[in-house]
């Protein structure tokens, strides 16, 4: 398995949201709604990154406006904060993979280890670790060599879990 467990699409999606922060026609509320849809789907509604993006807002208090109009701050603090949050989300995906997917994958491997021989497990793990285009075909060939009873047991246990 890859280190970040096939989270490439999710990472690319979040990187596109980071790029949108630099748009001249940036609208925080529209950006937040779109980003929250993506983050909720990736991490779930209760993940802290979802709440942090949801809480982003411009502070129009007099002190904040005075600080924002000074020369010391050239970058938009809300955009900077949004970028940091999304960078952390991307780092989490790269390091830990997609939340929930790891447990599911682990459960499937547990089932396979119960039903297959050590040699068969080793061969499947080798195929999974290779970065080849015909990986699905190679896995199908390995599973095709199993007897029908093993396949039925594996599939029924995966469906139940």
């Amino acid at each position: 398995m890859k280190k970040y467990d096939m989270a490439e699409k999710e990472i690319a999606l979040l990187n596109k949201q980071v790029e949108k922060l630099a748009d001249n026609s940036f609208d925080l509320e529209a950006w937040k709604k779109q980003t929250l849809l993506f983050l909720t789907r990736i991490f779930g509604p209760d993940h802290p990154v979802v709440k942090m993006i949801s809480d982003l807002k411009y502070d129009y208090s007099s002190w904040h406006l005075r600080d924002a109009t000074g020369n010391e701050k050239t970058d938009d603090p809300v955009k900077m904060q949004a970028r940091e949050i999304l960078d952390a989300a991307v780092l989490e995906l790269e390091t830990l993979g997609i939340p929930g997917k790891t447990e599911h994958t682990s459960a499937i491997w547990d089932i396979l280890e119960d039903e297959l021989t050590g040699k068969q497990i080793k061969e499947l793990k080798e195929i999974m670790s290779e970065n080849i285009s015909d990986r699905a075909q190679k896995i199908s060939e390995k599973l095709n060599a199993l007897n029908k009873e093993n396949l039925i047991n594996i599939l029924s246990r995966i469906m139940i879990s």
Side-chain angles (χ1 to χ4, degrees), residues 49-103:
V49 76
V50 173
K51 181 169 178 13
M52 287 187 275
I53 291 293
S54 180
D55 290 345
L56 285 177
K57 65 182 179 215
Y58 285 104
D59 183 1
Y60 294 109
S61 69
S62 61
W63 281 106
H64 184 270
L65 287 175
R66 208 171 312 153
D67 288 345
T69 58
N71 291 334
E72 358 19 271
K73 290 189 178 182
T74 57
D75 290 333
D76 181 332
V78 174
K79 287 182 180 182
M80 288 172 47
Q81 190 175 12
R83 180 182 318 273
E84 291 297 321
I85 294 167
L86 289 184
D87 285 347
V90 167
L91 182 61
E92 180 177 339
L93 289 172
E94 288 174 343
T95 307
L96 303 175
I98 300 170
K101 191 170 182 180
T102 306
E103 295 86 21

Side-chain angles (χ1 to χ4, degrees), residues 33-157:
K33 286 178 184 176
Q34 190 177 46
T35 304
L36 286 170
L37 284 172
F38 300 147
L39 290 172
T40 301
R41 181 170 178 172
I42 296 168
F43 293 102
D46 299 325
H47 195 277
V49 76
V50 173
K51 181 169 178 13
M52 287 187 275
I53 291 293
S54 180
D55 290 345
L56 285 177
K57 65 182 179 215
Y58 285 104
D59 183 1
Y60 294 109
S61 69
S62 61
W63 281 106
H64 184 270
L65 287 175
R66 208 171 312 153
D67 288 345
T69 58
N71 291 334
E72 358 19 271
K73 290 189 178 182
T74 57
D75 290 333
D76 181 332
V78 174
K79 287 182 180 182
M80 288 172 47
Q81 190 175 12
R83 180 182 318 273
E84 291 297 321
I85 294 167
L86 289 184
D87 285 347
V90 167
L91 182 61
E92 180 177 339
L93 289 172
E94 288 174 343
T95 307
L96 303 175
I98 300 170
K101 191 170 182 180
T102 306
E103 295 86 21
H104 183 68
T105 303
S106 178
I108 291 172
W109 279 109
D110 289 344
I111 291 168
L112 290 173
E113 287 174 355
D114 287 347
E115 297 294 332
L116 303 177
T117 66
K119 180 182 177 189
Q120 291 167 323
I121 291 293
K122 183 180 177 188
E123 290 171 347
L124 283 175
K125 286 186 176 184
E126 285 175 6
I127 294 169
M128 291 300 293
S129 67
E130 297 172 356
N131 192 11
I132 54 174
S133 60
D134 63 340
R135 186 182 331 178
Q137 183 177 345
K138 285 192 173 203
I139 292 171
S140 294
E141 290 170 3
K142 292 293 178 192
L143 294 177
N144 193 32
L146 299 176
N147 66 41
K148 185 178 177 181
E149 183 180 322
N150 273 25
L151 289 172
I152 291 171
N153 287 341
I154 291 168
L155 185 57
S156 62
R157 289 184 60 196

